[in-house]
Amino acid sequence: SVRRAEVMAQARTLVSRSIYTKLFPSWYGTAWDFNGTTEVPQQGKIACGYFVSTVLRDAGWRVQRARLAQQASENIILSLTTDRYVKRFRRVAIGDFVDAVKKWGTGIYVVGLDIHTGFIVNTGDEVYFIHSSYVDPYTVVREKATESKILAASNYRVLGKISADDIFIQKWLLTTEIVTRTA
């Protein structure tokens, strides 16, 4: 129905905006550690997977925070969304990857790399990689995707456009539990 579509669009906009303008900035500068599990921005240290699962939990999704954080990045993405909203890139130049994100449209994505995970945000003006970085400055950062050493160096990139998935947004609205995919 038209009303349902309006509610979904409003929910998508609200949660995407709050993640980008409130949750992400609260984490910027929080220290990275491979075994970091802090739940509090600016206190302790956080690993990349825990950054992803904690942001989603704090945005209002019922995720299994620790279990989700400990999965391979592709399993993290497939726990959240379906193949319809997933694209895989093998040995694709960073410029071509960013162009593909621009074409796919604005929104929030979870990205999985060879040994790392984080968020990609397409604002319409710029594509950013937001993650708990295991290279200098060893903190949660927002960087232009085209300038990220980690993003550029990865041979494999899997992208899940979580903000486009109505079922994922519906799980936020209804606080439905998200079961972690482990295989």
Side-chain angles (χ1 to χ4, degrees):
S1 74
V2 173
R3 183 75 192 112
R4 182 179 184 281
E6 285 173 10
V7 169
M8 292 301 289
Q10 287 173 351
R12 182 182 337 279
T13 300
L14 176 69
V15 74
S16 296
R17 188 174 292 144
S18 67
I19 289 170
Y20 186 68
T21 64
K22 302 272 191 312
L23 283 173
F24 287 158
S26 73
W27 283 97
Y28 297 153
T30 303
W32 167 86
D33 182 81
F34 182 78
N35 297 305
T37 61
T38 186
E39 297 188 50
V40 184
Q42 310 305 321
Q43 292 179 31
K45 297 178 177 185
I46 195 155
C48 61
Y50 275 93
F51 173 65
V52 170
S53 68
T54 305
V55 165
L56 294 173
R57 183 203 63 190
D58 291 352
W61 278 280
R62 280 184 56 206
V63 295
Q64 298 165 315
R65 178 180 173 266
R67 191 160 190 199
L68 186 65
Q70 294 164 4
Q71 299 309 309
S73 57
E74 187 143 353
N75 280 342
I76 293 174
I77 291 165
L78 293 173
S79 296
L80 305 173
T81 190
T82 62
D83 269 330
R84 180 178 172 194
Y85 301 99
V86 174
K87 290 184 181 176
R88 292 169 182 84
F89 302 83
R90 284 178 183 80
R91 293 181 180 83
V92 172
I94 188 67
D96 294 336
F97 173 75
V98 172
D99 286 345
V101 174
K102 286 179 179 170
K103 280 196 191 86
W104 203 0
T106 59
I108 296 181
Y109 304 72
V110 175
V111 65
L113 308 176
D114 294 339
I115 56 164
H116 195 55
T117 188
F119 294 95
I120 296 277
V121 176
N122 178 350
T123 64
D125 298 317
E126 189 60 69
V127 175
Y128 294 102
F129 181 35
I130 296 149
H131 61 113
S132 188
S133 181
Y134 62 87
V135 300
D136 191 51
Y138 304 98
T139 63
V140 175
V141 293
R142 181 190 83 162
E143 52 190 0
K144 289 183 178 178
T146 53
E147 296 171 7
S148 169
K149 290 182 178 79
I150 292 173
L151 200 56
S154 191
N155 285 313
Y156 184 64
R157 301 182 197 100
V158 58
L159 201 54
K161 191 174 183 184
I162 56 174
S163 66
D165 183 346
D166 279 355
I167 292 168
F168 186 66
I169 300 299
Q170 194 174 331
K171 286 177 179 175
W172 177 75
L173 282 166
L174 302 174
T175 61
T176 307
E177 186 174 11
I178 294 173
V179 179
T180 301
R181 176 180 165 141
T182 58

